[in-house]
Amino acid sequence: SYLLNQYPQAIQDAIEVRQTLAVAGSGISELVFYFYDSLTALATHTEATDKTELLERVSKNQAILHHRAVSAPMNFQHKYDLVEAEQHRVLGKNYEAGDSYDRAIAGAKENDYIQEEGLANELAAKFYLDWGRQRIAGDYMIEAYYAYSRWGAKAKVADLERRYPQLLAPILQQTRSLFSTRETIFALESVTSTSSSVSDTLDLKAILEASQAISGEIELDKLLSSLLSIVIKNAGANKCVLMLLRDSRLLIKGSITLGSEPVVLQRLPVEESQDIPLKLIYKVKHNRQTTVLLNATVDPTLANDPYIMRQQPKSILCSPILHQGKLLGVLYLENSLVTGAFTSDRVELLNLLCAQAAISLENAQLYERSQNYAQQLEESFAESQQKSEDLQQALQDLQQAQLQMVQSEKMSALGNLVAGVAHEMNNPLGFIAASLKQAKPTFTDIIEHLKLYQESLPNKNDEIIDHAESIDLDYSLEDFPKMIDSMSMACDRLKNISTSLRTFSRADRDYKVPFNIHQGIDSTILILKHRLKANEQRPAIEIVTNYGNLPQVECFPGQLNQVFMNLLANAIDALDESNQGRSFEENKAHPNCITITTSVENNLVKIAIADNGKGMTEQVKSKIFDHLFTTKAVGKGTGLGLAIAKSIIVEKHGGTLAVNSTPGVGTEFVIILPILVQAQS
């Protein structure tokens, strides 16, 4: 009753079964009852008068299913996940519902519960249809259709065709419009309806496997190769040519002959080919209907076609590939040995495959275009930084799915730049330091030698006395060694800066290494030092470091430096924002300060970075780690930084990242890290 949407009868059946279970023993059938009882309750939740009692009953059923799912996940986990998905749907938790539907489908499929795989796909399709995602709903409903067909549920297949023709259009439209009497010499009486033919005459396992193989490819060349191999294997042809429509022209994109490997991405215009009957191809392109010829050599419409006259093929099938009424291409098959090779069963099979191929081809072409567009954007960006604003925005929109990759590439570029600067500094710096070290004793010797001259010539002439006074010889002799010492100290300072730059830019390995947290923080502060300096609006921002006695932490240093960079840069932004609207004197009276505190608590390292800015509201604080959420002005923030930072701390290092904030007082970010981090999967 439930499977056919007869919910009143399903509720009555549940009442009777519950009464029977009260006196009868339990078993597998009882667990199946709990499964369908929960699904029935959730399906009727909207009309229920006592929704609380209904959800409590579902929770009790779920507790029983969960217990069995732990001990026998292969039999019960997917059932539990499907009820969870329906419960999330009822409660309006759409994203959690989508995840649970996918887990239920995967579990049922993995453990060969065909009927429940179909049911999970059907419920997912209904969910996405109600959500307004019709295209996604169509994909799930087609998978449900295939699963029910493979299960042999004819009534359910017919039920789906009746209730969801718009979602099953890619299958039904092509299957029910195979060809017309004016276009074929085929015996149409043997073509049956969709529901009976799918379940009776075709090898549904082969259809499903072929459909899954086609739908599993997203790269166009692999998809074409897979499609050609499947068609030549199942269609009874010894030659197959696939043409795709590009800019209103048909291009031959792939071909295969029986016993050989497919040749793909030829990009040959059909009018330049001598290996296909052009008259027939143009006809199918124009009327968008399948044409089947039992014996092409006696067909009067093709009697003068050069290819037919030359090759004398026996059987021909030519079918359009349609997606939502739009022509994507044409599939041409021939058998040069046998007449009548393309039977009604094979025609139906090809139409089902073409329906799935149309969806996959559309997706593959979209993917190919997006990849080409991304490559063009990257090349254009490299050629001209003048167009960076428009290109960066387009590139960011295109690569949102690769969020972490984008961020790590940015940090890698910064790290390479910093490391390059540090490296370029080292060579001249080493030369200067060595030269100064060598020059100091040399100049000392020269000064001593000069003093010997002064002692041996006590009676200096006027010229020597005047010159000594003009160059202030006594002061120079006293000050010159100090100048050498000052230059040596400056070299040491530059060496320290270079060391800090290398610490910040160190590249991560594929495993965690011991790292001095304080060195990472100090190197980040050095990188940001230019932003801390005083400007016309405010005095310099003070950095206060309250460092505890920290051990080295096993981590990915480059990623932690990225987190420190993000948190400190955000703190500076927050302080600059709080200074707006105030004069320099007002800001000087309430100086900006960033306080960094580290300590060890319960064998965990705690790092707190706090500012005395204007703080944030509870609403902002609740969303601060969400992807694409930002409080900054347009063009100044992407909303990615804190989301990435939390991912690095939580997922990569097994720690936590929390925020404490009071409006008017300031904001504090607290990082907790294990000292010895367990390897994350």
Side-chain angles (χ1 to χ4, degrees), residues 157-170:
V157 169
D159 178 62
L160 292 185
E161 290 181 359
R162 177 178 56 81
R163 289 192 296 115
Y164 301 104
Q166 77 280 14
L167 298 183
L168 297 174

Side-chain angles (χ1 to χ4, degrees), residues 426-444:
N426 279 341
N427 289 335
L429 193 58
F431 173 76
I432 293 171
S435 298
L436 287 173
K437 186 177 180 180
Q438 182 66 32
K440 185 174 181 179
T442 301
F443 279 115
T444 300

Side-chain angles (χ1 to χ4, degrees), residues 305-319:
D305 187 279
Y307 176 79
I308 300 295
M309 296 172 61
R310 183 174 66 254
Q311 298 295 332
Q312 296 289 302
K314 296 295 190 293
S315 304
I316 288 180
L317 185 152
C318 191
S319 176

Side-chain angles (χ1 to χ4, degrees), residues 627-644:
H627 288 296
L628 304 180
F629 177 79
T630 181
T631 59
K632 299 176 183 178
V634 175
K636 293 187 177 181
T638 63
L640 307 180
L642 286 176
I644 297 288

Side-chain angles (χ1 to χ4, degrees), residues 211-238:
S211 176
Q212 290 173 340
I214 294 172
S215 63
E217 298 292 352
I218 189 65
E219 295 183 14
L220 187 59
D221 56 342
K222 294 181 180 179
L223 172 61
L224 296 179
S225 178
S226 177
L227 178 60
L228 289 168
S229 299
I230 290 170
V231 169
I232 203 75
K233 177 181 178 182
N234 293 279
N238 54 24

Side-chain angles (χ1 to χ4, degrees), residues 31 45 65 104 113 130 137 330 369 390 422 455 536 557 593 623 640 642 656:
L31 298 172
H45 175 268
L65 279 179
Y113 280 87
D130 291 341
V330 175
R369 286 196 292 270
D390 294 339
E455 292 173 358
E536 67 278 1
C593 179
K623 299 179 181 179
L640 307 180
L642 286 176
T656 61

